[in-house]
Amino acid sequence: MTKLDPKVLSALALQSDTTTIAPFGGSGFASTLKISTVLAEGKKKCFFMKTGDGKDAETMFQGEFESLNAIHNAVPSLCPKAFSHGAFESKPGYYLVTDFINLYRHSSSSGETLAHKMAKLHLAPQAEKYNNKFGFPVPTCCGSTIQDNTWEDDWAEFFGKRRLMHILAESEAKNGTDKVLREWVEKTVDTVVPRLLGVLENVKPALVHGDLWSGNASKGCFGENGENGDPEDVVFDPSACYAHNEYEFGIMKMFGGFGPKFFNEYHEHIPKAEPVKEYDDRAELYQLYHQLNHHALFGSGYKSGAISTMKRLYTKYGG
């Protein structure tokens, strides 16, 4: 019988003699396990745990912990709640523990649709302590890329500096200096970003998932304890920040999986930002960040697509 680390047992207030862990599922950036326990009142409960080694894992799990709980506090049925993260006591490494969600897909959900929930998330007011700024209290990870979430007053400034220029530096650190790529990213940040994003009026910081491709969302999942409760549309593995709400659509449109029905319903709650005629180009600009991130993570396969995106947008808006 596999025993749970004492630090985790204490954090979750569980008893070692009624708690076991076993491998569950998989992740490209962490090991994943299922914790099964019996609570003091005799009720069975399950938790989901990620584990990893090194300081990057510590940063990743802290970012996901803060992201999940920010989203959960805004729309509780949208994502699992995170309970604890930190360093193991009995061995090297780090962990993150959340609610266990059964990802078995039901044909329908009993609650609100994913589009409605995402709109509620993006409309949730930001805490006053963040002073209407763009960013996030801690770094987060998109894939294994550690993102710079330093607060900025201006959305265009945040996106240009903390997303595009930061991911260019990450790409160069991993793939070597690329004069052509750097030239195009700098031209985009200097001209296209202020032209497309600087003209937006009354952009309020919206809490976004930040990495919402179709693999990080599931329809009709069982929520409470992963075994009972009503099936809900849920998201997981977030990389949250306070951003322009349409920033969410970059990764969503990059890989598909969210069709016209989703976007039509979403925009019934939150209209497209003005100028509406530039909506698709803004989405393509936001997608550029993820193209560059995939280039940083996986190599040259995404470079040509990123440069094509920048050339098209620069031809239209660079002047």
Side-chain angles (χ1 to χ4, degrees), residues 1-5 16 19-23 33 36 91:
M1 181 183 298
T2 304
K3 295 292 185 179
L4 192 59
D5 183 88
S16 62
T19 302
T20 60
I21 59 174
L33 305 103
S36 301
K91 61 180 181 180

Side-chain angles (χ1 to χ4, degrees), residues 105-118:
R105 295 171 184 260
H106 249 230
S107 59
S108 62
S109 301
S110 60
E112 296 168 314
T113 64
L114 183 61
H116 190 192
K117 288 183 180 182
M118 293 306 300

Side-chain angles (χ1 to χ4, degrees), residues 45-264:
K45 183 168 178 62
C46 297
F47 298 91
F48 181 73
M49 182 167 71
K50 292 183 177 181
T51 68
D53 299 319
K55 296 297 291 183
D56 285 357
E58 181 181 27
T59 301
M60 178 181 291
F61 295 155
Q62 181 188 26
E64 186 171 348
F65 177 88
E66 297 292 347
S67 295
L68 283 170
N69 283 344
I71 294 171
H72 187 271
N73 289 340
V75 188
S77 65
L78 179 55
C79 76
K81 180 180 179 180
F83 294 99
S84 180
H85 73 93
F88 286 120
E89 178 181 312
S90 61
K91 61 180 181 180
Y94 299 88
Y95 73 90
L96 167 69
V97 178
T98 74
D99 272 326
F100 182 82
I101 302 292
N102 190 335
L103 297 183
Y104 174 78
R105 295 171 184 260
H106 249 230
S107 59
S108 62
S109 301
S110 60
E112 296 168 314
T113 64
L114 183 61
H116 190 192
K117 288 183 180 182
M118 293 306 300
K120 287 180 67 175
L121 175 68
H122 293 167
L123 289 171
Q126 186 188 56
E128 289 186 7
K129 63 182 178 180
Y130 298 141
N131 297 315
N132 205 36
K133 293 179 182 289
F134 299 92
F136 202 62
V138 300
T140 52
C141 292
C142 193
S144 61
T145 298
I146 298 175
Q147 299 182 125
D148 179 3
N149 290 325
T150 303
W151 297 103
E152 297 285 354
D153 292 317
D154 179 74
W155 168 240
E157 182 77 5
F158 179 88
F159 183 74
K161 182 189 296 184
R162 307 300 177 184
R163 286 299 179 262
L164 295 187
M165 293 306 298
H166 180 76
I167 197 58
L168 174 64
E170 290 291 309
S171 175
E172 291 183 334
K174 294 178 179 178
N175 301 314
T177 302
D178 188 320
K179 182 178 179 181
V180 173
L181 186 64
R182 171 166 283 277
E183 178 183 352
W184 275 108
V185 173
E186 289 179 344
K187 287 167 70 172
T188 300
V189 170
D190 289 343
T191 61
V192 177
V193 170
R195 168 58 187 81
L196 268 178
L197 306 185
V199 300
L200 295 170
E201 295 183 3
N202 301 318
V203 177
K204 295 181 179 179
L207 180 62
V208 299
H209 178 286
D211 191 18
L212 192 57
W213 67 291
S214 59
N216 284 344
S218 199
K219 183 179 179 63
C221 299
F222 285 115
E224 182 186 353
N225 198 28
E227 297 172 359
N228 49 46
D230 296 325
E232 293 275 358
D233 291 355
V234 298
V235 299
F236 36 89
D237 292 347
S239 178
C241 68
Y242 287 94
H244 180 211
N245 66 293
E246 292 177 7
Y247 172 70
E248 196 85 272
F249 305 153
I251 190 72
M252 295 175 73
K253 291 176 179 286
M254 182 171 173
F255 293 118
F258 302 91
K261 183 177 179 181
F262 173 94
F263 290 102
N264 289 340

Side-chain angles (χ1 to χ4, degrees), residues 1-43:
M1 181 183 298
T2 304
K3 295 292 185 179
L4 192 59
D5 183 88
K7 172 77 173 296
V8 185
L9 283 170
S10 175
L12 301 178
L14 303 179
Q15 300 298 314
S16 62
D17 58 348
T18 59
T19 302
T20 60
I21 59 174
F24 184 86
S27 168
F29 305 104
S31 297
T32 54
L33 305 103
K34 182 178 181 180
I35 301 172
S36 301
T37 192
V38 179
L39 302 178
E41 62 271 22
K43 180 183 177 182

